[in-house]
Each structure stands twice: as C-alpha cells, then as structure tokens.
C-alpha cells in the first residue's frame, strides 16, 4: 500500500521574490533523484501539498508545466503558518511535496480548440502552467488561438514578469495585461478584469478563469454575454483543504470533494452544486 | 456455538495472550473502549460506550509519522499500527459505522494506510442489543439491534450465556481455534427469536429523505433549525460515522511529527479559506452541512446513509438539538 | 397560574404588542429531564414555552450582540451573565426585556443517572420537592435537592438581580458557600494534581464548555489560533487539555458568573466548576469583586487600587 500522507523530499533551489510588495515568492524545487521525477507525473491544473519540516503542509497549485523537466514551481502568498515559513527558507533547504493531487484542466478535450485564459491577482499559478504547456513547441500545434487576459492591482503585483514579456513578444499568443488604476510607465490596459474582458470580447471555444471570488462573480456574466455556454467555462476552486485525497471531509461542495473531484470544474458542473465555495 | 457468561472472562484473557483485545470497560463512571489483558475488566452488560467505536481504528489523535532532520538529511518514520487485534463486544451500530467508514478511507485513487492496516488486522466481535436505549433508532437507518453487517463474529445475549456465530471467514477461523461448545437447538431458536423481534426505530422514517433533502439546500427550514446550537464538537466527535480530521505538525519528543486530530464541520474555522473567505459563514450553513452530509451527500457518494442511529448526538448535545426531531421536521415539510 | 402559564402570558403579550421581535426561553425537550432553548417569534409559538427544573442552559448565550428587540426568560444565573455582558458592551440593555424567574435550582441529569445506575428513564413526574422516575424495570423517587447541580446548591443569586418583570416570588438570599473549594484546597498539591489529571484525561476537546459559557465570546479563542499555535490541538495530551482549562479559567477571572454552564455542557462529565469556582472565590477574597451581581460595580479587571493585593505577582 502506498502511503498517500508521506511527502516526497525535494530541494528548494530558488526562493524568488515575485511581487513588489514582497508578499508572493516563487519557489523552484528540484527532485533529489531521477525516479522521483519519473513518479511525479502531473498535468496543468493539479496542486500539491507543500511541506516545511516542523511547520506543516498546505495546498498550492503547481505553477510549473510538465514540459519544464526536473523541477516544480509554486508561487505562494504569505498568509499563515506554512506560507510564512516557506518565505523564510534558505535556498538549499529540503522541503516535502505531496502530490500531484486533484484533477487537471481538460487539455486533452481542449485539443484543436481555441482558448481564452483569464486570471486575476496571484491566482495565476496553474494558468501559467497551462500557458507554458500549450506554448511548448511539442504542443502548440495541438491548440488553436490562445488569448490571455491577466490583471493585477498594479504592475508590481503581476507574477512572472519575464515570461509575460516573452509571451508578449510572440505572435502565437494574444496577451492582454491590465491593472486597476493608471500608473506612470504602464503601457498595458487599465481597468478591472470584467470590464477588460468585455472590451476584448473573446470569441474562443473555451474559457478558463481563475481569481478571487469577486472577480469571478463579475466576469461570469460577461463570458455568458460573449457566448460561452456553461460547459465551456472552466474554473478552479480553492476550498480549504487538508488531506487532498478526499478523506478529511473539509473541502466538500455538496457531495463533491474539491480536492479529489476538482479543483477544476466547469460552470455547468458548479451550477448543479450548492453555492458553498 | 455458546459460551456461558461466567466463562467469558476466561475466554477474553485467553484471547489476550495472542491478540490485543479491546473491549468496553467501566472507567471514570463511563463505558469506554480499552485494551485489556484480563477478561474480568470487560463490561458487556451496559448499553453503548460513551465514545464511538471509530476511535479504535481512527483515534481522536494519531501520530501518522515523525521525522528527524540532521546533516545527513531527513529520516521519516511511519507509524502504521499492525498489531493483530480483537475488538470484543462492539454494538451493531458501531460495527456498521466501520462499514461506512471503509468507503471513506479507501477510494479509487488512495488508501489511508493507517485506518486500512488496522482494519485488516482487526477481528470484530459484535454484540447484539437485547435492550436498546430510548435514544436508539438503528432499525430506521439500515442497521438494527441485531444487525450483523461488518461483524466477523456475532454474540447474542441469552441472559446466562452468549450464542456465538461466526460470520466472516476471518471470524470463523478464529472460532475454530477456540474449541467452544456447540449451541443447542433451543438456544439457537432463542437467539433467532431475539434477533427477529428486537428493533429500535425511534419513530424515524428516512425513506425518500435523501431525495427530498437534495432539493432543499435553499429552503428556509435551515434558518431556524440551528438557532439553539452553540457550535461545539459534541455531536460530531461522538458520532461513530463522522470522519473529518485535521492534519498538523507538532514538534514534541522528536524533531517533528505529523499528527491528525478529529475535526468537525460544526466549527467555523473548519472551512475558513486562506484568503479569509469562509464559504460556510454561520450556524445555519454548518447544521445544513451536518444533516446534508449524513443524509444526502454521503448517500450520493457511497449509496448509504451516514448515520447508524446510535443516539450519541442526542444524548450528548448540550442544548437537546435532537437529530430525530430535525429529520421528522424535514419529513413534515411540504 | 403556575410559572409556565405566567411566562406564556407575558411572552404572548410582548409579542402581540410588538414590544419585542423574539422571546428566548425554554420548551419541552425530546428526552425525559430535558428542556431545550426555544425561540418564540409569534404569540402562538409562545404557547410552547415552559418552565421546569430542567431549564439548565444559560440563555444569556443567545442574547449577545443582537440587533433585534429580544425578551429573555432568565433565571438567577442567566441574569448575572446578562449583567456582566451589559457591562462588557455585549448586550444593549435598551433592546433587552428581562423576564426574571426566581430559580430554586435545576436538576442534574448526570447525578440522576448515577443515582439510578444509569438505566433508561422513560417517564418523569415533578412532584415539587421530589422527582419520580420510571423506567422499564424500575421506579424511583429522588429529592431534587440531592440531585441539583453543584452550582445551584451554592447559588446565592436565585432571584435575578435585575429584571423588567419578575414571575413569581423572590426567594430569600443564601449565604456564600465555598465548602467544595475549601475541601479541594485542603488536599496536598500532589492530590490536586492527580485529581486534575484524571479529569483532564477525559476531555475530548469538543469545546462545549467554551461554547456554552455566556462569557466566552472571543472572536478567536487562543486554542484555535494557528499562528502562533499556543497549544496542541489534539486531545491525547492531558497537559494540553489542562492548559486549555487553565487559560479558560484565567480569561474568566472576575468575569465568571459561576453559573456552571460549562460543566453542564461537558459531555464527558468533567468537574470543570471546581477550577472556575476556585477563581471566583479568590477574586472575591482578594478583590472583593463578584461578576454580574449589579450594574454599578466596574468589572474587576478594569480597576486597579493601591490596596490591591499583589503578592501573587512574580
Ligand atoms: C487547490 C488549491 C490551490 C491553491 N493554490 C495556491 C497558490 O498557488 N498560491 C497560494 O499562495 N495559495 C494557494 N492556495 C491557498 C493556500 O492553500 C492557503 O493560502 C494556504 O493553505 C495557507 O496556509 P498557511 O499554513 O500559510 O496558512 P494558515 O496558517 O493555515 O492560515 C491561512 C489563513 O487563515 C487564517 N487563519 C488561520 N487560522 C486562523 C484562525 N484560527 N482564525 C482566523 N483565521 C485563521 C490566517 O490568518 C490566514 O489568512 C491554494 C489553495 C488550494 C485549496
Ligand atoms: S448522527 Fe447521531 S445517531 Fe446518527 S450515528 Fe451519528 S451520533 Fe449516532
Ligand atoms: S457531519 Fe460534518 S463532521 Fe461529520 S463527517 Fe460530515 S462533514 Fe464531517
Ligand atoms: S452537540 Fe448540539 S450544540 Fe453542539 S454542535 Fe451539535 S447540535 Fe450544536
Ligand atoms: S466540554 Fe468537556 S470534553 Fe469538551 S472541551 Fe470542555 S472539558 Fe473538554
Ligand atoms: S482536503 Fe480532505 S477531503 Fe478534500
């Protein structure tokens, strides 16, 4: 019997301060040996429990893409026990990883389809994974047009700035970044995600959306207006979790456990469930 | 087979030589499960234990593994409990709860090794209830005072003696080793009669309840149901089917240990998001979760009701919020 | 009219006149010897209100931080809690109508259970000073005074200290009685430690004690705090369980109204009021303060006087 509670030790190779407010760090982890990399097979959208020895573990979306071999990346906001401990770790420390957990974005089903990805704030982690995956030369041909709308309160709070610049330079991705209020030196758009989404009026086959509850709430009607049917709007939930394997009972929405049956659901699926997320 | 009551202590003492024997004992004025060496300690005559039988396989606090951190790296020590165990005298409702928990602790992808290993190494000797308590309603929720589901061996109390039946292969194997006397035809008939006659329905009827609850998430009923609830953990911690837990790290007597503790949906922090958002904000949402989980969500997921009618939540609720009343109220709604 | 009838009358009138939106009281429970908190919002619902020797919960719990106009059927200890809560700014006196009921003491199901060998009780008749109990194979009569809650036996404020209306006759005041605490203090330190350890071993950390306490209302209890984690969350450590109770009692210094709600709520029958009452006795002895006995005394923790004893400080 494999014990699903035991973490896999990994080495923290980079602790990078991602945002100007210093509240989000991106952690790059390396496997300690080859077999571990082999056994940790994941897909964009999945998450893992990240453990600081002596402090505990907490669930975080996997921000790296399976196409980035040999490493895992997580971007973590500093909010509590584990996240604070992570932020203070020195490079070279061993941390624990338990996963991959949960389902993933339906990338198989999305093949041949055009896609709009909408992200707000720091809920951009598994979206980064998805974009990196699709943009990989081995996969790009499998997918149609890719539009990405990504917003944050101010430019300093956007994650993955180098990658955003690289994506912006490419012709096979339509990247729209936006910030809440005008600041000097900003060349992208200004405005909240729902408004910007309305302006862009994406006409793709599917949409994936991740962000704070208010953003989701106001963007949803815009997507419906743009013609997306509920089965073509894909979302990822963030209920409080512990076990991540459907046993501890913490993360349920109706009879579904977000950790195991999700975190990825279509709007059509969520419309069938009680509004407890 | 049959064992007279004055031989039962000896039988347990004998079993305790080979197995860890866990039986109800009287401690601090309460009936509680405890490991015993001497059969005299067992108390099989009282009603059910204060704490539910789940604690034997899923203890309230349990160290999953511990680790030491040194220059050479991290060493992890897993604490899977493999000791061969006989649980003697568990009431049918608690036995049934284990059958329900089996669904939870093993799913299509994952196995909870701690629970499952204990389960595999445990023989359950169920004990029928000749005198169900006034708060029992097992017969209404797919169990009953003499339900044998989940028991490996089953005891029926005839006053002077217990009629013993081997139920599972595991149980029959153990019985074969014990050289017990065969029960006479009369005794067998008396046991069969008891088993057929004693019920505990608590005037509850859950037929069609799951479907009805399915359409009731937004019903105004929930507004008042919870009003007197003070939001403690009594009804869930003492419930044999409640399986919610928390996982935390503690550093005591070791560099670190991962422990799990019972937790419950009646506590506000249970669902508080990292962001501060809480999808279940008040008592209304929490009581709805408790009732829905037991009588709708669990049914939806595992095709069984997550209540075995043991009555513990009824007896122990500080404000007498009676789940039977809640169910009757749901039934009465149109 | 008996007390129940009078309560119904008053409650109906208040609701019919729309003087209050809600009357919090007790209704018949689902088990023998149980009544249950009840929320009447219409004159018809007020018909379900009752009064008996089993109205054990402290209803002050349900009138904290409310914005509606509420009436509460309150016995002596409920009112002490209400007074303390008014002083702590948790209850707006303007919005609360107190229907006081002098209380002769509530009976303790746990003691009754012990007295009858914990057989199933099926029927109870209240005969004034006695309760007659019937079960399948037994019949027994118990004097209420013998099976009263410890906190009721020593209660000095049976008659509510403030009220808008009093139902029934005021009861004579009683002398302070801390015999139980004196007996505990007379034990050796080792004996006291052993006793507390034995009690704390039973704790399942359900927090019913905290939740039932009218004075425990912190938005985040120290036991729940994750960062820092002040205390282990599991119930297996007797020390942690004792630490929880110690801090709970200390946080109630000068605030505990000695109603015994914590002990009544505890499903494991832990003798919690011993700790609380030791604190109550000491606060009274050292500072002459008693919580919730009038609206004028400032809360004990809010005042400092030069004559305050401080030899306990390190
Ligand atoms: C599937 C999934 C994916 C996620 N992905 C990411 C991600 O990519 N990046 C990311 O940053 N986060 C992500 N999260 C959120 C992340 O899991 C939480 O922020 C994390 O669990 C915090 O853990 P912690 O130990 O640092 O905080 P904790 O110490 O557990 O505290 C978390 C928050 O709860 C509050 N809190 C804790 N205890 C209490 C209490 N007793 N009373 C009141 N408040 C309390 C704290 O103030 C804090 O705000 C994800 C969550 C899920 C479920
Ligand atoms: S819900 Fe109540 S009656 Fe049902 S199994 Fe749980 S404790 Fe027993
Ligand atoms: S009722 Fe609540 S505590 Fe019990 S199993 Fe269900 S969710 Fe968990
Ligand atoms: S035991 Fe009673 S008061 Fe406590 S949470 Fe359950 S229903 Fe509420
Ligand atoms: S009510 Fe009793 S069992 Fe529950 S936490 Fe308090 S002392 Fe412990
Ligand atoms: S996190 Fe435990 S069930 Fe989902």
């Amino acid at each position: 019997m494999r014990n699903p509670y035991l973490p896999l030790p990994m080495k923290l190779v980079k602790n990078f301060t991602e945002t100007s407010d210093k509240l989000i760090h991106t952690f790059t982890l390396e496997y300690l040996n080859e077999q571990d990399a082999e056994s940790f097979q994941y897909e964009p959208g999945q998450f893992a429990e990240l453990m600081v020895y002596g402090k505990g573990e907490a669930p975080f979306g996997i921000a790296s893409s399976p196409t980035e071999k040999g490493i895992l990346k997580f971007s973590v906001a500093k909010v509590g026990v584990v996240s604070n401990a992570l932020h203070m770790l020195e490079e070279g420390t061993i941390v624990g990883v338990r996963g991959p957990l949960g389902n993933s974005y339906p990338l198989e089903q999305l093949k041949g389809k055009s896609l709009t990805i909408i992200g707000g704030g720091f809920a951009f982690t598994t979206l980064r994974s998805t974009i990196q995956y699709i943009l990989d030369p081995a996969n790009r041909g499998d997918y149609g047009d890719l539009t990405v709308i990504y917003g944050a309160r101010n430019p300093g709070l956007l994650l993955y700035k180098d990658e955003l610049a690289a994506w912006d330079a490419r012709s096979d991705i339509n990247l729209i970044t936006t910030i809440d209020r005008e600041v000097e030196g900003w060349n992208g758009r200004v405005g909240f995600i729902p408004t910007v989404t309305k302006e862009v009026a994406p006409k793709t086959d599917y949409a994936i959306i991740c962000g704070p509850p208010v953003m989701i709430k106001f963007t949803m009607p815009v997507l419906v207006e743009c013609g997306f049917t509920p089965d073509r709007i894909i979302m990822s939930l963030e209920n409080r979790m512990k076990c991540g394997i459907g046993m501890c009972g913490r993360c349920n929405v109706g009879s579904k456990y977000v950790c195991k049956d999700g975190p990825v659901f279509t709007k059509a699926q969520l419309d069938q469930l009680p509004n407890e997320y | 087979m049959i064992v007279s009551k004055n031989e039962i202590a000896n039988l347990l003492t004998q079993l305790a030589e080979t197995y860890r024997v866990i039986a109800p004992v009287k401690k601090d004025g309460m009936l509680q499960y405890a490991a015993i060496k001497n059969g005299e300690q067992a108390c099989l005559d009282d009603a059910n234990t204060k704490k539910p039988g789940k604690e034997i396989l899923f203890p309230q606090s349990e160290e999953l593994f511990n680790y030491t951190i040194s220059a050479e790296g991290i060493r992890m020590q897993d604490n899977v409990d493999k000791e061969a165990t006989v649980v003697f005298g568990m009431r049918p409702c608690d036995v049934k709860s284990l059958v329900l928990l089996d669904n939870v602790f093993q799913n299509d992808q994952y196995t909870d090794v701690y629970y499952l290993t204990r389960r595999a190494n445990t023989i359950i000797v169920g004990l029928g209830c000749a005198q169900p308590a006034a708060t029992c309603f097992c017969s209404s929720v797919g169990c009953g005072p003499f339900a044998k589901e989940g028991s490996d061996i089953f005891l029926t109390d005839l006053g002077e003696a217990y009629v013993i039946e081997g139920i599972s292969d595991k149980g029959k194997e153990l019985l074969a080793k014990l050289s017990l006397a065969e029960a006479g035809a009369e005794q067998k008939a008396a046991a069969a009669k008891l088993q057929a006659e004693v019920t505990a329905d608590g005037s509850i009827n859950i037929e069609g309840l799951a479907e009805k609850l399915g359409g009731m998430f937004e019903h105004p009923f929930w507004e008042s149901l919870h009003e007197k609830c003070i939001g403690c953990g009594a009804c869930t911690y003492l419930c044999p089917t409640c399986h919610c837990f928390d996982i935390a790290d503690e550093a005591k007597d070791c560099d670190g240990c991962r422990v799990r503790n019972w937790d419950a949906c009646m506590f506000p922090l249970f669902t508080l998001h990292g962001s501060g958002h809480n999808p279940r904000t008040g008592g209304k949402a929490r009581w709805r979760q408790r009732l829905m989980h037991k009588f709708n969500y669990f049914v939806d997921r595992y095709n069984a009701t997550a209540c075995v009618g043991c009555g513990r939540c009824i007896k122990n609720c500080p404000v007498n919020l009676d789940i039977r009343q809640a169910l009757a109220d749901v039934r009465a709604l149109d | 009219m008996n007390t129940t009838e009078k309560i119904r009358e008053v409650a109906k009138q208040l609701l019919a006149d729309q003087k209050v939106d809600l009357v919090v009281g007790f209704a018949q429970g689902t088990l023998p010897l149980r009544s249950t908190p009840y929320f009447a919002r219409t004159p018809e619902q007020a018909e379900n209100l009752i009064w008996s020797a089993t109205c054990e919960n402290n209803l002050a719990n349900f009138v904290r931080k409310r914005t509606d106009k509420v009436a509460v059927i309150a016995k002596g200890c409920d009112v002490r809690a209400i007074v303390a809560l008014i002083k702590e700014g948790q209850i707006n006196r303007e919005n609360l109508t107190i229907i006081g009921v002098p209380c002769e003491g509530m009976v303790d199901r746990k003691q009754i259970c012990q007295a009858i060998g914990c057989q199933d009780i099926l029927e109870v008749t209240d005969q004034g000073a006695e309760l007659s109990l019937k079960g399948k194979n037994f019949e027994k009569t118990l004097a209420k005074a013998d099976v009263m809650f410890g906190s009721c036996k020593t209660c000095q404020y049976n008659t509510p200290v403030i009220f808008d209306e009093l139902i029934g006759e005021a009861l004579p005041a009683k002398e302070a009685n801390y015999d139980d605490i004196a007996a505990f203090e007379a034990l050796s330190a080792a004996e006291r430690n052993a006793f507390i350890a034995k009690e704390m071993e039973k704790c399942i950390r359900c927090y019913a004690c905290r939740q039932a306490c009218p004075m425990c209302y912190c938005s985040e209890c120290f036991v729940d705090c994750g960062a820092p984690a002040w205390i282990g969350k599991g119930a297996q450590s007797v020390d942690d369980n004792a630490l929880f109770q110690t801090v709970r009692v200390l946080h109630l210094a000068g605030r505990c109204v000695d109603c015994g709600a914590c002990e009544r709520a505890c499903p494991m029958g832990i003798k919690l009021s011993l700790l609380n009452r030791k604190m109550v006795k000491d606060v009274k002895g050292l500072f002459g303060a008693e919580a919730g006995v009038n609206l004028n005394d400032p809360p004990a923790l809010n005042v400092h006087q030069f004559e305050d004893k401080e030899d306990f400080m390190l």
Side-chain angles (χ1 to χ4, degrees):
Chain A
M1 267 190 270
R2 205 180 74 81
N3 185 346
Y5 294 103
L6 287 182
L8 178 74
M10 285 185 79
K11 186 188 213 159
L12 171 66
V13 292
K14 193 155 190 206
N15 177 346
F16 174 74
T17 306
E18 191 72 64
T19 53
S20 57
D21 62 4
K22 301 190 172 56
L23 292 178
I24 297 172
H25 285 197
T26 294
F27 301 93
T28 308
L29 318 182
E30 257 176 29
Y31 300 100
L32 295 184
N33 55 57
E34 287 284 314
Q35 302 110 271
D36 291 350
E38 277 307 305
S39 70
F40 201 100
Q41 292 290 336
Y42 69 98
E43 286 171 47
Q46 288 194 284
F47 68 99
E49 292 275 347
L50 200 49
M51 170 193 185
V52 180
Y53 285 88
K55 295 289 178 190
E57 57 176 17
F60 299 100
I62 304 175
S64 52
S65 150
T67 51
E68 298 168 278
K69 300 286 180 209
I71 56 131
L72 288 179
K73 260 184 205 288
F74 297 90
S75 297
V76 173
K78 190 167 151 173
V79 296
V81 180
V82 176
S83 48
N84 269 289
L86 275 168
H87 275 230
M88 304 211 292
L89 287 185
E90 280 178 30
E91 291 172 359
T93 313
I94 304 294
V95 295
V97 178
R98 193 156 72 75
L101 300 167
N103 65 359
S104 56
Y105 295 118
L107 287 167
E108 222 18 69
Q109 184 193 332
L110 294 175
K111 276 191 178 159
K113 303 288 196 287
S114 57
L115 188 62
T116 302
I117 291 179
I118 304 172
F122 67 88
F124 198 64
T125 56
T126 56
L127 298 181
R128 176 198 180 273
S129 172
T130 311
I131 297 164
Q132 288 290 53
Y133 180 87
I134 293 176
L135 292 182
D136 190 81
N139 301 326
R140 187 63 192 96
D142 290 341
Y143 299 89
D145 287 347
L146 177 63
T147 298
V148 175
I149 303 173
Y150 177 31
R153 248 180 305 140
N154 61 56
L157 297 183
L158 289 167
L159 306 184
Y160 317 125
K161 292 177 194 70
D162 292 348
E163 277 141 17
L164 291 178
W167 296 344
D168 207 22
R170 291 173 70 139
S171 58
D172 58 353
I173 165 173
N174 174 22
L175 174 69
I176 297 132
T177 45
T178 177
I179 56 168
D180 289 359
R181 235 169 292 123
E182 195 98 44
V183 276
E184 222 168 297
W186 173 253
N187 302 322
R189 293 196 190 222
V190 175
F192 295 117
I193 302 251
T195 324
V196 172
T197 307
K198 200 165 185 162
E199 287 164 19
V200 175
K203 290 271 174 283
T204 53
D205 298 321
Y206 282 84
I208 300 181
I209 173 166
C210 274
V214 263
M215 176 202 120
I216 305 267
K217 189 174 155 204
F218 290 106
T219 312
M220 216 38 99
V222 177
L223 288 177
V224 172
E225 230 173 87
C226 292
F228 290 92
T229 50
D231 59 318
R232 292 183 170 230
I233 302 175
I234 300 163
M235 304 199 277
S236 182
L237 297 188
E238 252 194 38
N239 280 35
R240 193 164 173 90
M241 295 180 184
K242 279 291 168 175
C243 71
I245 55 176
M247 295 179 186
C248 77
R250 187 174 305 266
C251 67
N252 77 299
V253 175
S255 61
K256 300 282 181 238
Y257 285 123
V258 174
C259 65
K260 187 171 171 292
D261 305 322
V264 176
F265 294 93
T266 62
K267 183 173 183 300
Q269 288 169 323
L270 290 180
D271 287 346
Q272 300 295 311
L273 294 175
N275 182 14
E276 269 192 328
Y277 40 86
Chain B
M1 267 159 274
I2 189 138
V3 181
S4 81
K5 281 200 178 166
N6 47 33
E7 284 168 57
I8 207 89
N10 276 339
L11 178 70
L12 286 173
T13 311
Q14 186 196 331
L15 278 174
E17 284 163 17
T18 349
Y19 296 94
R20 167 173 57 193
V21 173
I22 296 179
V25 302
K26 251 293 174 16
K27 200 174 158 224
D28 298 325
M30 281 183 279
L31 200 64
Q32 312 193 27
Y33 285 108
I36 58 167
K37 282 280 165 219
N38 179 345
E40 299 286 351
Q41 292 166 273
C43 172
L44 302 174
D45 290 333
D46 275 27
N48 209 347
T49 51
K50 184 80 184 188
K51 288 198 246 172
K54 71 178 178 190
E55 68 166 342
I56 298 170
L57 301 177
F58 169 47
Q60 172 156 22
S61 293
E62 148 172 56
E63 189 178 307
L64 301 179
F65 58 87
N66 59 47
Y67 45 89
T68 41
I69 308 162
S70 66
E72 290 95 70
I74 288 159
R75 265 215 351 262
M76 276 189 285
Q77 165 79 41
D78 204 348
N79 297 320
V80 180
D81 169 8
K82 301 193 176 97
E83 196 170 341
T85 302
V86 172
V87 178
F88 201 95
M90 190 183 261
R91 299 290 176 175
C93 53
D94 281 7
V95 177
K96 172 72 189 260
S97 79
L98 303 180
V99 176
L100 296 171
L101 292 179
D102 290 346
N103 289 305
V104 173
F105 288 115
Q106 182 157 43
N107 57 42
D108 56 347
Q109 278 176 284
Y110 306 102
T111 300
D112 187 296
V113 287
Y114 305 97
Y115 175 91
L116 258 290
T117 309
R118 282 201 193 92
R119 185 81 164 105
N121 293 313
T122 300
I123 295 174
I124 309 272
V125 183
L127 168 60
C129 300
Q131 298 205 22
T135 42
C136 295
F137 59 102
C138 48
S139 303
S140 310
V141 283
C143 184
F146 286 92
K148 295 170 191 167
E149 188 182 2
S151 286
D152 296 303
I153 294 173
F154 194 80
L155 305 183
T156 304
D157 186 343
L158 292 187
E160 299 294 301
Y162 295 105
V163 168
I164 305 190
E165 294 166 73
I167 309 289
S168 68
D169 292 344
K170 214 156 83 170
K172 287 177 186 157
E173 244 169 72
L174 175 65
L175 284 182
K177 286 189 232 161
L178 293 177
S179 58
L180 300 171
E182 272 307 318
E186 216 171 287
Q187 291 159 323
K188 279 187 189 161
K193 186 164 180 291
L194 259 186
Q195 295 178 1
E197 281 177 1
V198 182
T199 60
D201 69 3
S203 314
I204 290 297
N205 179 354
I206 62 159
E207 224 186 282
L209 187 77
E211 296 74 39
K212 186 163 189 182
L213 282 170
M216 270 185 57
F217 192 84
E218 305 288 356
H219 200 283
F221 167 71
W222 308 111
E223 298 289 344
S224 55
L225 175 65
H226 70 96
E227 207 163 12
K228 61 188 171 188
C229 171
I230 55 173
C232 68
C235 57
T236 47
Y237 282 6
L238 296 177
C239 172
T241 72
C242 275
H243 58 80
C244 289
F245 60 86
D246 188 20
I247 300 178
D249 278 38
E250 279 179 11
K252 266 188 197 160
D253 315 319
C254 54
D255 285 345
C257 3
R258 170 86 21 105
V259 291
R260 77 157 144 211
N261 297 311
W262 291 349
D263 202 345
C265 64
M266 301 312 277
F267 297 129
L269 294 180
F270 190 63
T271 45
L272 183 72
H273 282 204
S275 63
H277 168 67
N278 196 340
R280 279 187 217 125
T281 39
K284 169 186 158 186
R286 292 192 278 276
W287 237 96
R288 176 170 59 196
Q289 162 67 15
R290 175 161 175 256
L291 205 70
M292 282 289 206
H293 184 222
K294 294 189 172 303
F295 295 93
N296 174 279
Y297 305 157
F298 204 91
V299 181
D300 199 16
R301 212 174 166 86
Y302 306 115
N303 200 20
T305 299
C307 167
V308 292
C310 72
R312 285 189 181 87
C313 58
I314 303 166
K315 278 188 257 186
N316 292 295
C317 173
V319 297
N320 184 230
L321 212 176
D322 189 326
I323 197 160
R324 294 171 302 179
Q325 187 68 50
L327 294 173
D329 290 350
V330 170
R331 190 159 198 89
L333 296 170
D334 27 61
Chain C
M1 269 201 284
N2 63 24
T3 310
T4 294
E5 287 159 356
K6 284 186 210 149
I7 288 172
R8 287 180 187 165
E9 212 45 50
V10 173
K12 270 194 285 192
Q13 203 58 53
L14 284 168
L15 288 164
D17 298 347
Q18 297 183 339
K19 291 223 172 81
V20 299
D21 307 314
L22 165 71
V23 179
V24 184
F26 286 94
Q28 189 59 53
T30 62
L31 299 173
L33 295 172
R34 280 264 33 181
S35 27
T36 187
Y38 186 72
F39 299 75
R41 291 196 161 81
T42 61
E44 294 73 48
Q45 288 174 340
E47 280 297 334
N48 293 325
L49 291 167
I50 60 142
W51 190 255
S52 76
T54 64
C55 296
E56 63 175 63
N57 304 95
N58 192 325
L59 299 183
N61 246 326
F62 301 107
V63 299
R64 268 191 321 249
K65 285 239 185 303
R66 292 196 83 112
T67 46
D68 44 355
K69 283 206 167 287
V70 178
V72 60
I73 315 293
K75 52 192 174 291
C77 54
D78 299 26
V79 171
R80 278 189 70 184
I82 288 169
V83 168
L85 289 166
I86 291 170
K87 290 198 272 192
E88 293 185 10
Q90 299 300 309
I91 291 177
N92 180 354
R93 180 70 180 95
E94 308 275 281
N95 284 340
L96 185 70
T97 306
I98 302 171
I99 304 166
V101 184
C103 167
E104 293 178 38
M106 295 294 156
V107 294
D108 180 357
R109 283 169 291 123
K110 288 166 196 158
Q111 289 180 48
I112 293 173
C113 167
Q114 295 297 330
I116 55 165
C118 291
Q119 302 174 74
D120 239 354
I121 299 167
L122 299 176
E123 212 187 303
V124 178
T125 336
D126 187 331
Q127 297 168 328
E130 286 172 339
L131 290 174
S132 89
L133 312 166
K134 259 194 219 140
K136 232 186 208 153
N137 309 312
F138 76 97
E139 253 178 70
K140 183 141 186 163
T141 305
L142 295 172
K144 277 187 196 165
D146 293 342
V147 290
M148 213 179 261
F149 285 109
S151 50
C152 296
K153 286 180 187 154
T154 56
C155 175
Q156 287 176 262
Y157 299 91
N158 306 64
T159 306
V161 293
I162 62 168
F163 49 80
D164 296 294
E165 182 148 0
L166 191 69
I167 293 195
E169 293 297 309
L171 293 161
K174 281 194 293 193
E175 290 285 298
N177 176 348
Y178 290 102
D179 292 352
D180 52 336
I181 304 304
F184 187 62
E185 286 166 343
L187 300 177
S188 72
E191 286 168 324
R192 293 199 302 264
N193 273 332
F195 179 84
I196 288 176
K198 191 174 133 272
E199 290 299 300
M200 290 307 143
E201 204 187 296
K202 298 186 235 171
C203 178
I204 56 169
R205 294 286 276 277
C206 66
Y207 304 127
C209 49
R210 174 188 77 189
Q211 298 303 103
C213 172
M215 303 309 295
C216 267
Y217 56 77
C218 287
S219 53
E220 186 184 40
C221 177
F222 83 102
V223 280
D224 290 328
C225 183
W230 302 104
I231 179 172
K233 310 283 188 242
Q236 87 284 32
S237 159
V238 173
D239 289 348
D240 277 337
N241 299 347
L243 177 63
F244 162 47
Q245 290 303 337
T246 309
V247 177
R248 193 177 72 82
V249 168
L250 285 168
H251 280 180
L252 288 160
R255 303 176 57 242
C256 171
V257 295
D258 202 2
C259 66
C262 49
E263 185 169 308
R264 295 176 193 188
C266 177
M268 306 309 286
I270 299 173
K271 297 196 179 57
L272 295 170
S273 35
L274 199 59
L275 297 171
N276 279 64
R277 279 172 55 73
K278 164 72 176 145
M279 177 60 77
V280 168
K281 175 174 176 268
D282 287 353
V283 170
K284 200 169 170 185
L286 292 167
F287 307 104
E290 238 180 322
V293 297
N294 63 51
L295 280 171
N296 310 322
D297 294 353
L301 287 180
N302 287 15
V303 280
H304 177 264
Q305 284 159 355
F306 284 106
E307 9 355 317
D308 279 351
K309 290 207 176 61
E310 49 189 40
D311 44 344
F312 57 89
M313 285 187 195
L314 295 177

